Amino acid sequence: RMIGAEIRYTRLGYRVRLAPYGYQNQKIETIHGKRFILAPHPTESIIIKRMYELKTQGMYSDQEIIDQINLMGFKTRRFYLRSPNNKTKIIGIKGENKLDIKRFDRMIRSPIYTGVTSEKWTYNKPLKCQFEGLVSIDLFNKANAGKIMIIEEREGLKILKGKLLKRKLVTTSISLRYPYKRL
């Protein structure tokens, strides 16, 4: 019963899982009852916004952006490892890692930062959530130029990546550097 309800709430645009980095879960009163949405985290959301701004400026390489974000104090969240026999006993700590290139790519390409979710429970179709994103869709598309794109249409949202995105981005045989080459 619980999983079925979680699937319905996800399709309505609410949040039923842990909050990703940059967000925190917040319970609000809705027409469907009390439900969770994602709200900006006071410190983490500033780091995420800065990451997208630096990426869209185009003046810095990915490694330079990662170094600047780490200087701002980026650390992943701390998780406690518990004993399988006694759940009250903490046996270790996980997390508090610095930003690396793989995590940076995953975070930049994640559409949840625009307030859009796409997962198995929504049949992998993009869905506008009940909360505002940290960045706009235009900023997201500029930061992910050529990799992933979110398009707003009358029918709803579309996420293009891979071969679909290459078809959308029209290529021409006329070079912009040598426009009169064949004349």
Side-chain angles (χ1 to χ4, degrees):
R1 289 184 194 180
M2 285 178 55
I3 299 234
E6 288 177 354
I7 292 170
R8 273 195 311 279
Y9 297 150
T10 301
R11 289 179 185 163
L12 289 172
Y14 299 111
R15 189 70 183 180
V16 295
R17 294 186 181 84
L18 286 175
Y21 189 87
Y23 285 112
Q24 62 186 3
N25 283 331
Q26 179 183 13
K27 190 178 266 193
I28 61 167
E29 186 67 40
T30 66
I31 59 172
H32 305 285
K34 289 185 179 180
R35 300 288 172 254
F36 281 102
I37 62 167
L38 293 178
H41 192 276
T43 56
E44 295 174 355
S45 62
I46 297 167
I47 293 173
I48 296 295
K49 290 176 187 176
R50 184 70 181 147
M51 190 185 311
Y52 276 95
E53 289 168 3
L54 290 172
K55 182 72 176 171
T56 56
Q57 286 176 2
M59 298 185 328
Y60 305 104
S61 69
D62 287 350
Q63 189 59 46
E64 291 173 340
I65 294 171
I66 290 168
D67 293 339
Q68 287 187 19
I69 296 299
N70 283 332
L71 285 175
M72 288 179 69
F74 179 91
K75 282 189 177 180
T76 58
R77 293 182 181 158
R78 176 189 291 185
F79 291 98
Y80 295 106
L81 301 174
R82 300 191 180 269
S83 170
N85 299 330
N86 184 3
K87 296 295 182 186
T88 60
K89 185 178 178 186
I90 297 173
I91 59 172
I93 296 174
K94 235 180 165 182
E96 294 188 341
N97 299 325
K98 297 250 181 215
L99 185 64
D100 59 353
I101 192 75
K102 287 184 179 181
R103 184 174 286 123
F104 174 74
D105 281 341
R106 261 186 271 130
M107 291 173 85
I108 286 289
R109 292 180 186 179
S110 178
I112 195 69
Y113 293 115
T114 61
V116 174
T117 186
S118 174
E119 58 182 79
K120 180 180 177 181
W121 286 353
T122 62
Y123 302 113
N124 293 323
K125 293 180 183 174
L127 176 76
K128 186 72 177 148
C129 297
Q130 299 288 337
F131 52 89
E132 291 296 318
L134 295 177
V135 296
S136 67
I137 292 177
D138 294 333
L139 187 66
F140 178 85
N141 289 339
K142 286 177 188 173
N144 290 296
K147 298 174 189 167
I148 184 171
M149 181 184 275
I150 299 175
I151 298 174
E152 292 178 288
E153 295 178 340
R154 269 187 259 138
E155 305 89 45
L157 296 170
K158 270 190 180 178
I159 294 181
L160 301 178
K161 53 186 162 184
K163 292 181 181 177
L164 293 174
L165 183 59
K166 287 179 183 173
R167 280 191 216 138
K168 181 74 176 173
L169 301 173
V170 178
T171 57
T172 179
S173 63
I174 300 171
S175 171
L176 297 176
R177 292 181 67 190
Y178 306 106
Y180 303 109
K181 177 180 175 184
R182 295 187 181 165
L183 297 177

